Amino acid sequence: MLNFNYPLLLQLLIFILTFSFPVTLSNHEAIESLLHRLDSRRALPSVQEAAARGVLKRLLPTHLSSFEFKIVPKEVCGGDSCFMINNHKKTRHNGPEIIIRGTTGVEIVSGLHWYLKYWCGAHVSWDKTGGIQTTTIPKPGSLPLLKDDGVKIKRPVPWNYYQNVVTSSYSFVWWDWERWEKEVDWMALQGVNLPLAFTGQEAIWQKVFKDFNISSEDLNSFFGGPAFLAWARMGNLHGWGGPLSQNWLGQQLVLQKQIISRMLELGMTPVLPSFSGNVPAALKKIFPSAKITRLGDWNTVDADPRWCCTYLLDPSDPLFVEIGEAFIRKQIKEYGDVTDIYNCDTFNENSPPTSDPDYISTLGAAVYQGISKGDKDAVWLMQGWLFYSDSSFWKPPQMKALLQSVPVGKMIVLDLFAEVKPIWKTSFQFYGTPYIWCMLHNFGGNLEMYGVLDAVGSGPVDARVSANSTMVGVGMCMEGIEHNPIVFELMSEMAFREEKVKINEWVKSYSHRRYGKAIHQVDAAWEILYHTIYNCTDGIADHNHDYIAVLPDWDPSANDKSAGMPQAHLWYPPEDVIKALQLFLAGGKNLTGSLTYRYDLVDLTRQVLSKFANQVYIEAITSFQKKNIDALHLNSHKFLQLIKDIDLLLASDDNFLLGTWLESAKKLAVNPSELKQYEWNARTQVTMWFDTNETTQSKLHDYANKFWSGILENYYLPRASTYFSHLSESLRHNEKFNLIEWRKQWIPMSNKWQEGNELYPVKAKGDALTISQSLYEKYFS
């Protein structure tokens, strides 16, 4: 009789079963495993502490000895990410006063920012939105103390994501390392720990495609110009604004390595790009049997093949996985094994050829395989914009097929527009897929005072505590940055807030920090702004169509009943905001010299005047339609004068100057050819944007419009002037307005301006408070 060792046999059976069948993790377990893996590969504590001290040195060099920083394990925070602020137990005179501990360098810097805000009344925003306010911070040796237990703040969700795939073009395109260093500091202060890192990827693509026998010359018609790279990467266009020089490619690759290095030093996890199927035309000749489709037109005028209708390699083709793997491996070779999270947006504004769920599932699986073959631990991060923008295609069966086409926990979705159009509510929490609640907020990098503070202050909490929540982070996915600092500060705080924010109280606190003191008129102004400008509840996505910046390209002839007047978005009573401006001006005498006040004053005055100009434009058009030439002249003159006055106002603050944008572009050039190309790219992106012909403006004209001094006086003004002149001439000769003739005059003027090289100021002139006060009295008193 055989003598079985039953306990040993049972262990053996468990071992066989465990390794014979794949272990299926839940999404929660998969995310926990990912977090543990990322934590294990972070920079050494000493490196992160030194990086955090570097941020302090650049932000507040006078207080370098006032703080001690210390990295602690997650176990100290109950297994979560957190920061802790305590009084320091001094052992020597003039030693540290405050000790800040955190699980990463980002947590430490976030804790520093929290202390400076809520104990010292300081404020940090981008330089272009007024910069930092540190006058309320006491001198070293006199910093405010905390209560005995100090403060511990945990992240309620693991990640704070940052950037949209187009921010790289609308805002970052001309940045050097000096500017990028400030941005990474800003990210750390705001608690960002999952930033997109898209700079320099064309240099990687050049290396990859070379291995597939595609020459640098072949890529000249594939890469877009510097200001249009985002859309070339997404397969919306090719060649427009290019080609890219080898100088540019090398320069950007060096910059990317600097950016990633600093992110890693601070304990961030960079999100790198991956292959989405967008390929050069030459690949079709080299691999004639490959399944390569030419996509349809994306917003061109004449479907010009020089930049229209890009080529997409079908994810089901074996070549797709081969190229995807090669790209991931080439990045790892260049940067090291720095992340497991990769962005891919194959279907963003490019719908699959069929809505069959089985086919979509196959496509999704192939896309993921292209990433995971290069990095076995890869997680696919995808923008969820398509589920909103192309909702007629992405119905529940199609959405579910895509989201569940990859292994559990291997996809994270950005609920990109959650502050206005949350998809998590209507998609059964993305059918079990982990997602990040994101604020989109801005389109095209336009300058517009706008926000939905109530939604930002409560939406992430509602999502996180909802039944069966799969939320794993919050994020900021704006198309452009450096505007509306109040919105970004609140959104950043939601990465650390367990409960909804009482916005009324928070806005008052924000005002006091931003200006360094409490001014009752300014408090009253912000109370109005919170309930008007900063609480848009109409759900309209595109809110930047003021008539000065986006002059309607239409025929207002009274006999033309086919098209109504294009409407500029207005979501609040303008008279209320005029009252806010009056209060803001009344408090100004107490804030002389404050850069944060000056920025907000100029921005608010611009907002009020641009909305007033919309009314004047409508009155001018109404006068034309009633064939009242005198009223047309009066109102059109008033509209043109408003453009001049707003330009004068904007010229009084360094942060509203066209010259800064143009000079930053030219600064990157190393020869006359690049100088000309970069300036043309910079001018074109903020005006006509894309292609034209003799009689048709770009379909995207003014999409990236800017209220900057210089562009108003020299671009918007002559455009409006010629338009009104044509209206007047048609009335004078009793003829129908000829839209085509106006375009024939205007488009060459635009082209000439885009190709120009005249210089624009990079330093402000005039006193903003005096100019704003005089304009208020001129138009509203």
Side-chain angles (χ1 to χ4, degrees):
M1 183 168 128
L2 294 174
N3 185 15
F4 286 106
N5 185 331
Y6 285 99
L8 184 62
L9 187 64
L10 182 62
Q11 289 179 34
L12 181 62
L13 182 62
I14 292 172
F15 178 85
I16 292 170
L17 290 172
T18 300
F19 288 92
S20 298
F21 301 99
V23 177
T24 302
L25 298 176
S26 68
N27 268 309
H28 175 75
E29 289 170 328
I31 292 299
E32 285 298 316
S33 176
L34 171 63
L35 289 168
H36 179 74
R37 193 165 61 248
L38 294 173
D39 286 342
S40 70
R41 287 167 20 191
R42 293 200 198 284
L44 292 172
S46 58
V47 172
Q48 294 186 62
E49 290 163 4
R53 289 191 66 76
V55 177
L56 172 61
K57 185 176 182 180
R58 290 183 289 276
L59 177 71
L60 203 61
T62 52
H63 288 65
L64 197 55
S65 62
S66 300
F67 296 90
E68 181 180 326
F69 296 154
K70 182 74 175 174
I71 294 288
V72 295
K74 278 186 173 180
E75 286 71 26
V76 177
C77 304
D80 298 313
S81 296
C82 79
F83 60 78
M84 296 173 285
I85 312 171
N86 294 92
N87 302 325
H88 196 279
K89 297 176 181 177
K90 288 189 177 184
T91 57
R92 58 187 175 83
H93 183 63
N94 294 330
E97 301 166 74
I98 303 294
I99 180 169
I100 302 176
R101 292 170 290 165
T103 47
T104 68
V106 170
E107 259 61 34
I108 288 173
V109 177
S110 301
L112 171 67
H113 189 202
W114 202 270
Y115 174 78
L116 294 177
K117 283 165 67 169
Y118 290 113
W119 275 265
C120 301
H123 171 78
V124 177
S125 73
W126 290 296
D127 286 353
K128 283 183 73 68
T129 55
I132 62 173
Q133 185 289 113
T134 58
T135 59
T136 55
I137 300 176
K139 294 179 180 178
S142 305
L143 289 181
L145 298 179
L146 294 85
K147 293 181 180 178
D148 290 342
D149 293 337
V151 64
K152 176 195 286 188
I153 295 185
K154 293 184 180 182
R155 290 186 187 268
V157 282
W159 286 304
N160 186 0
Y161 176 81
Y162 182 54
Q163 294 178 42
N164 187 300
V165 295
V166 301
T167 321
S168 57
S169 289
Y170 285 130
S171 295
F172 305 157
V173 52
W174 309 121
W175 286 5
D176 55 14
W177 170 241
E178 181 182 3
R179 177 61 187 87
W180 259 112
E181 183 174 49
K182 289 183 178 182
E183 192 67 10
V184 179
D185 284 356
W186 182 90
M187 291 183 207
L189 289 160
Q190 307 301 329
V192 172
N193 60 1
L194 191 66
L196 205 59
F198 261 31
T199 302
Q201 62 178 279
E202 283 68 30
I204 305 292
W205 278 120
Q206 185 186 52
K207 296 171 189 285
V208 170
F209 283 132
K210 184 179 179 181
D211 292 342
F212 288 85
N213 298 316
I214 294 175
S215 68
S216 296
E217 290 71 28
D218 291 329
L219 296 176
N220 285 342
S221 60
F222 177 62
F223 296 141
F228 300 94
L229 283 176
W231 301 277
R233 292 166 180 169
M234 289 189 288
N236 301 133
L237 54 81
H238 62 96
W240 178 257
L244 295 179
S245 69
Q246 204 60 45
N247 291 329
W248 172 272
L249 296 171
Q251 183 186 63
Q252 293 295 298
L253 184 59
V254 169
L255 182 58
Q256 170 76 334
K257 290 178 179 179
Q258 291 174 297
I259 294 166
I260 289 176
S261 177
R262 181 58 55 79
M263 288 175 174
L264 295 173
E265 288 169 5
L266 284 162
M268 298 177 184
T269 298
V271 177
L272 292 178
S274 60
F275 181 51
S276 64
N278 181 32
V279 294
L283 196 75
K284 194 171 179 65
K285 296 177 182 177
I286 298 169
F287 297 93
S289 61
K291 286 192 269 185
I292 298 176
T293 305
R294 189 150 202 191
L295 298 176
D297 178 34
W298 185 82
N299 288 309
T300 66
V301 168
D302 292 323
D304 190 322
R306 288 177 295 171
W307 36 80
C308 157
C309 313
T310 55
Y311 293 88
L312 184 70
L313 176 61
D314 194 301
S316 64
D317 192 294
L319 188 59
F320 187 100
V321 175
E322 195 177 338
I323 294 175
E325 178 185 1
F327 181 69
I328 298 296
R329 291 191 183 280
K330 194 72 73 174
Q331 283 190 125
I332 292 173
K333 183 178 178 182
E334 287 285 342
Y335 311 139
D337 189 5
V338 299
T339 190
D340 284 335
I341 304 181
Y342 300 90
N343 169 263
C344 185
D345 293 306
T346 296
F347 311 112
N348 191 42
E349 300 188 14
N350 290 319
S351 298
T354 172
S355 61
D356 176 39
D358 289 339
Y359 178 77
I360 291 171
S361 183
T362 301
L363 288 186
V367 170
Y368 177 71
Q369 189 181 7
I371 303 171
S372 61
K373 285 273 283 186
D375 180 347
K376 63 179 177 59
D377 296 318
V379 172
W380 175 5
L381 182 133
M382 181 183 74
Q383 292 195 150
W385 176 250
L386 70 169
F387 301 134
Y388 163 72
S389 67
D390 198 8
S391 58
S392 60
F393 179 92
W394 293 101
K395 293 183 169 62
Q398 290 74 30
M399 189 189 301
K400 188 175 182 180
L402 178 60
L403 295 174
Q404 296 186 349
S405 65
V406 303
V408 172
K410 292 297 186 179
M411 177 184 280
I412 299 171
V413 181
L414 302 178
D415 197 355
L416 209 72
F417 201 16
E419 86 276 24
V420 176
K421 303 287 185 182
I423 303 298
W424 69 267
K425 289 184 177 181
T426 57
S427 65
F428 301 98
Q429 303 267 352
F430 292 95
Y431 300 100
T433 304
Y435 77 94
I436 294 176
W437 192 104
C438 295
M439 177 189 77
L440 178 50
H441 179 69
N442 174 272
F443 293 85
N446 309 135
L447 300 183
E448 172 90 352
M449 292 182 75
Y450 162 86
V452 284
L453 294 183
D454 281 344
V456 169
S458 62
V461 177
D462 287 336
R464 179 173 52 81
V465 302
S466 64
N468 303 312
S469 177
T470 57
M471 177 179 160
V472 294
V474 297
M476 296 177 283
C477 293
M478 62 289 116
E479 289 193 350
I481 64 166
E482 298 178 317
H483 50 75
N484 290 303
I486 187 172
V487 177
F488 290 94
E489 180 155 333
L490 178 61
M491 187 64 237
S492 298
E493 282 196 16
M494 298 312 294
F496 297 101
R497 288 195 175 271
E498 290 272 1
E499 298 179 349
K500 295 180 182 181
V501 177
K502 296 176 180 177
I503 303 295
N504 254 325
E505 297 174 12
W506 188 90
V507 169
K508 183 177 286 189
S509 169
Y510 169 86
S511 172
H512 298 171
R513 294 194 307 272
R514 183 152 169 83
Y515 312 123
K517 59 178 74 172
I519 308 293
H520 71 89
Q521 297 103 321
V522 175
D523 284 348
W526 271 108
E527 173 77 12
I528 294 171
L529 296 179
Y530 157 47
H531 290 293
T532 53
I533 282 176
Y534 287 112
N535 253 317
C536 178
T537 57
D538 61 15
I540 294 177
D542 207 352
H543 46 80
N544 304 99
H545 279 148
D546 288 341
Y547 296 133
I548 287 177
V550 188
L551 187 77
D553 182 29
W554 74 303
D555 181 355
S557 296
N559 295 329
D560 184 3
K561 305 296 184 184
S562 62
M565 183 182 297
Q567 295 298 307
H569 185 201
L570 184 63
W571 62 98
Y572 58 83
E575 60 274 13
D576 289 356
V577 178
I578 293 170
K579 175 63 176 176
L581 175 58
Q582 182 186 27
L583 289 164
F584 212 75
L585 284 164
K589 62 181 181 294
N590 297 302
L591 294 169
T592 304
S594 167
L595 297 181
T596 46
Y597 172 78
R598 186 177 75 181
Y599 173 87
D600 290 345
L601 174 64
V602 170
D603 202 23
L604 179 56
T605 309
R606 175 212 54 75
Q607 179 84 8
V608 167
L609 291 175
S610 65
K611 300 306 176 190
F612 180 59
N614 291 344
Q615 299 175 34
V616 174
Y617 173 85
I618 291 171
E619 289 167 6
I621 295 302
T622 302
S623 302
F624 169 79
Q625 292 173 331
K626 292 180 177 179
K627 299 189 177 183
N628 185 337
I629 195 166
D630 290 337
L632 172 62
H633 285 162
L634 178 68
N635 288 305
S636 60
H637 175 76
K638 192 172 186 179
F639 186 83
L640 299 177
Q641 187 58 50
L642 274 160
I643 296 177
K644 294 177 183 177
D645 286 342
I646 296 173
D647 193 279
L648 179 70
L649 168 75
L650 298 173
S652 67
D653 189 281
D654 288 338
N655 306 304
F656 294 93
L657 304 179
L658 170 66
T660 307
W661 170 255
L662 298 182
E663 292 305 314
S664 64
K666 290 151 65 176
K667 186 179 176 182
L668 295 185
V670 298
N671 57 50
S673 174
E674 288 181 359
L675 189 73
K676 184 177 180 180
Q677 180 193 15
Y678 295 176
E679 182 163 10
W680 182 90
N681 267 257
R683 286 168 175 254
T684 299
Q685 192 214 76
V686 299
T687 53
M688 197 59 83
W689 207 98
F690 204 21
D691 66 336
T692 66
N693 62 25
E694 184 184 13
T695 60
T696 310
Q697 295 196 78
S698 166
K699 293 180 182 180
L700 296 171
H701 72 88
D702 301 303
Y703 183 81
N705 70 77
K706 300 291 187 290
F707 270 94
W708 286 337
S709 176
I711 202 170
L712 273 82
E713 183 88 35
N714 292 86
Y715 190 84
Y716 299 154
L717 181 62
R719 177 175 62 183
S721 180
T722 57
Y723 186 79
F724 286 127
S725 293
H726 278 261
L727 289 178
S728 295
E729 284 300 303
S730 66
L731 283 188
R732 190 171 289 109
H733 295 101
N734 197 28
E735 296 174 349
K736 187 175 182 295
F737 173 69
N738 194 324
L739 180 65
I740 298 301
E741 287 302 313
W742 171 69
R743 289 177 179 169
K744 283 183 177 179
Q745 182 181 2
W746 164 243
I747 292 171
M749 291 172 65
S750 176
N751 291 339
K752 183 179 179 182
W753 188 87
Q754 290 163 240
E755 294 165 2
N757 61 3
E758 63 273 21
L759 297 176
Y760 288 90
V762 293
K763 290 294 181 185
K765 60 180 179 180
D767 180 74
L769 182 57
T770 301
I771 294 170
S772 178
Q773 184 71 54
S774 67
L775 292 177
Y776 174 82
E777 292 170 1
K778 178 178 181 178
Y779 289 106
F780 305 115
S781 65

